[in-house]
């Protein structure tokens, strides 16, 4: 059965369900030919309480489960995944009590709630209430309590204050992870005057500064100095940061010094299969998302997650090439695919940008110049801003 289900993952969810029928795996009832239940939708987000204890209530049109991704103790940002919950666009607003502001956006396989906290907070309880006592919606409840010394008590507020999901007075920052290729003992390609690792780090730092100036992004670098970072660790950095986008910066090389131009890589079909092989040896890609699940069921869910992520990666790649192409030459076949390790995260849209050929004199001069490199960085930053504002990430 397990072997059959893993093969079903490559056939897609609907076809797999038609074949498996009503079998139950690992306590999960698999849908019959009618297909899986429609995803739950967010109706309203409400808050009650004060700076000592705060209750968050998410009204849903049907039952749903949640999973704590980050408790916020390290960075005052609490993240809860809501699998199979539907959300139309980003929903955000001001919070109350221990919550400064909130955001619900799309994530692989459902929605994601992010709470910016007013201080150190512990999650006391999370539970689902069915309709009843006059309430017509399912209610996913999160009870928060301030850690001792983290908040100043205020007068309690008895009633629950409703927060309209369409209002957006405040916005949480998108998390972008920038990977400066190579580093340390891994110098990358060598041009006439500069190593690839130097170009990628300079570009990564410039892109970080450019994005942070907008006030819309939280930017994480996989390396900030000339240090060696294993490829697997770069992906783990992105997943630990709960990244909305991952971009790896590189400079190409080749035996023909006349070859020049930028290109963008996204994950190939063979690369997607490679994720499954990596998981057979090590669960580091999925431990955070699918604890306790049967391996075959996890493979089906992985397939769903990868498909959505690959679509978003491809959409961003096209946008990136359009903007980068305004500043520098592009390779003839500029959108390519490969199974690079840094592109393997199944739930983080990711691209690898080859900024040009460091073995070509023109491209090397372009990438070595702070002024021309700044134009390239601006093009990349413009692409990132457009990606998050245009709805392409929902493709």
């Amino acid at each position: 059965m397990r072997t059959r289900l893993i093969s079903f993952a490559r056939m897609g969810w609907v076809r797999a369900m038609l074949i498996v029928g009503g079998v139950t795996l690992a306590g999960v009832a698999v849908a019959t030919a009618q297909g899986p239940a429609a995803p739950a939708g967010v109706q309203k987000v409400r808050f009650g309480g004060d700076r000592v204890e705060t209750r968050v209530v998410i009204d849903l049109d049907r039952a749903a489960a949640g999973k704590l991704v980050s408790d916020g103790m390290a960075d005052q940002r609490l993240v809860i995944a809501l699998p199979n919950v539907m959300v139309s666009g980003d929903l955000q607003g001001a919070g109350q009590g221990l919550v400064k502001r909130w955001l619900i956006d799309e994530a692989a396989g459902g929605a994601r709630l992010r709470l910016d906290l007013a201080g150190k907070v512990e999650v006391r309880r999370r539970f689902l209430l069915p309709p009843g006592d006059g309430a017509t919606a399912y209610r996913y409840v999160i009870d928060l309590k301030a850690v001792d010394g983290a908040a100043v008590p205020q007068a309690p507020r008895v009633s629950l204050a409703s927060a309209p999901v369409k209002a957006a007075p405040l916005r949480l920052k998108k998390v972008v992870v920038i990977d400066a290729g190579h580093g340390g003992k891994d110098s990358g390609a060598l041009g006439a005057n500069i190593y690839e690792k130097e170009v990628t780090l300079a570009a990564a730092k410039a892109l970080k500064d450019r994005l942070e100036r907008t006030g819309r992004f939280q930017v994480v670098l996989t390396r900030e100095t000339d240090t060696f970072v294993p490829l697997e660790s770069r992906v783990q950095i992105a997943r630990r940061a709960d990244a909305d986008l991952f971009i790896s910066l590189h400079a190409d090389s080749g035996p023909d010094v006349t070859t020049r131009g930028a290109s963008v890589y996204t994950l190939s079909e063979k690369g997607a299969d490679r994720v499954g092989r990596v998981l057979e040896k090590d669960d580091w890609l999925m431990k955070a998302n699918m604890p306790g699940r049967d391996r075959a069921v996890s493979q089906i869910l992985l397939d769903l997650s990868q498909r959505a992520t690959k679509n978003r990666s491809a959409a961003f790649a096209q946008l990136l090439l359009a903007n980068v192409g305004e500043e520098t030459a592009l390779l003839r076949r500029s959108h390519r695919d490969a199974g690079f390790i840094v592109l393997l995260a199944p739930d983080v849209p990711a691209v690898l940008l080859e900024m040009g050929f460091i073995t070509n004199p023109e491209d090397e001069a372009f990438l070595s110049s702070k002024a021309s490199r700044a134009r390239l960085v601006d093009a990349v930053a413009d692409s990132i801003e457009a990606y998050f504002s245009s709805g392409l990430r929902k493709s």
Side-chain angles (χ1 to χ4, degrees):
M1 173 63 74
R2 171 177 163 173
T3 303
R4 290 176 61 198
L5 281 172
I6 292 176
S7 66
F8 290 162
R10 298 188 177 93
M11 299 166 60
W13 174 264
V14 175
R15 291 175 62 193
M17 292 303 97
L18 289 173
I19 296 172
V20 175
V23 178
T24 299
L25 293 173
V28 179
V30 181
T32 61
Q34 284 75 25
V42 177
Q43 296 181 339
K44 189 182 296 183
V45 178
R46 299 178 287 141
F47 296 86
D50 51 31
R51 293 288 295 273
V52 177
E53 294 185 348
T54 300
R55 169 165 286 188
V56 183
V57 181
I58 305 171
D59 289 352
L60 304 167
D61 61 6
R62 54 179 58 85
K67 174 188 171 299
L68 185 64
V69 176
S70 172
D71 63 9
M73 292 299 289
D75 58 1
Q76 280 73 62
R77 172 171 289 179
L78 188 146
V79 181
I80 292 178
L82 298 167
N84 204 35
V85 170
M86 182 175 60
V87 57
S88 177
D90 289 353
L91 311 177
Q92 63 270 323
Q96 176 181 315
L98 294 168
V99 179
K100 295 192 294 185
R101 49 192 176 270
W102 61 273
L103 168 71
I104 299 179
D105 62 357
E106 287 187 346
R112 172 177 52 191
L113 169 68
R114 292 193 246 185
L115 303 176
D116 266 9
L117 305 173
K120 290 188 176 181
V121 170
E122 66 174 351
V123 180
R124 296 194 65 189
R125 293 188 302 168
R126 295 182 294 118
F127 55 93
L128 182 72
L129 291 174
D133 297 326
T136 59
Y138 285 86
R139 292 149 291 167
Y140 186 76
V141 181
I142 307 162
D143 284 340
L144 306 175
K145 182 179 180 180
V147 175
D148 290 344
V152 178
Q154 294 179 343
R157 300 167 76 168
V158 177
S159 62
L160 281 174
S162 176
V165 295
K166 293 297 183 183
L170 296 172
R171 182 181 183 87
L172 296 184
K173 296 179 179 180
K174 296 295 183 183
V175 179
V176 178
V177 174
I178 304 170
D179 173 42
H182 305 283
K185 63 182 181 181
D186 177 13
S187 299
L190 173 63
N193 302 296
I194 195 169
Y195 282 108
E196 180 182 1
K197 67 176 183 178
E198 299 171 300
V199 169
T200 60
L201 184 58
K205 288 182 174 180
L207 180 56
K208 179 178 187 288
D209 291 342
R210 167 68 169 75
L211 290 174
E212 288 182 337
R213 285 200 302 270
T214 69
R216 295 180 55 201
F217 301 99
Q218 175 187 341
V219 183
V220 177
L221 297 181
T222 58
R223 67 179 182 96
E224 300 187 44
T225 59
D226 183 21
T227 54
F228 174 76
V229 180
L231 296 176
E232 293 87 351
S233 298
R234 298 171 191 246
V235 184
Q236 290 174 308
I237 289 170
R239 300 195 76 239
R240 282 198 298 267
D242 195 25
D244 296 291
L245 183 67
F246 177 92
I247 179 167
S248 186
L249 301 179
H250 286 258
D252 219 333
S253 64
D256 186 352
V257 296
T258 64
T259 303
R260 65 173 305 212
S263 60
V264 175
Y265 285 87
T266 53
L267 188 65
S268 65
E269 289 296 333
K270 289 183 178 179
D273 291 341
R274 185 181 184 185
V275 175
R277 293 196 296 272
V278 170
L279 292 175
E280 289 297 326
K281 296 184 294 183
D282 189 352
D283 270 346
W284 60 265
L285 280 176
M286 290 174 66
K287 278 178 181 173
N289 278 353
M290 301 174 184
R293 287 195 181 275
D294 180 271
R295 189 75 167 188
V297 175
S298 293
Q299 182 67 37
I300 293 175
L301 297 178
L302 172 67
D303 179 67
L304 291 175
S305 176
Q306 278 185 298
R307 194 175 308 163
T309 301
K310 284 178 63 181
N311 289 341
R312 292 173 183 146
S313 299
F316 175 64
Q318 292 300 317
L319 189 59
L320 184 59
L321 285 170
N323 285 314
V324 169
E326 296 292 325
E327 300 297 337
T328 188
L330 298 177
L331 275 179
R332 183 176 180 181
R333 187 170 64 87
S334 52
H335 185 183
R336 305 181 171 211
D337 55 18
F340 297 134
I341 288 180
V342 292
L343 301 178
L344 291 187
D347 52 358
V348 181
V351 301
L352 185 148
L353 172 62
E354 296 279 9
M355 299 179 288
F357 276 75
I358 201 168
T359 48
N360 173 269
E362 292 176 85
D363 278 359
E364 182 184 17
F366 179 85
L367 295 174
S368 300
S369 165
K370 184 176 180 179
S372 57
R373 194 168 57 234
R375 298 201 310 271
L376 177 65
V377 163
D378 282 341
V380 176
D382 289 344
S383 302
I384 293 172
E385 290 192 84
Y387 170 75
F388 285 113
S389 62
S390 67
L392 284 173
R393 61 191 181 82
K394 301 180 183 67
S395 301

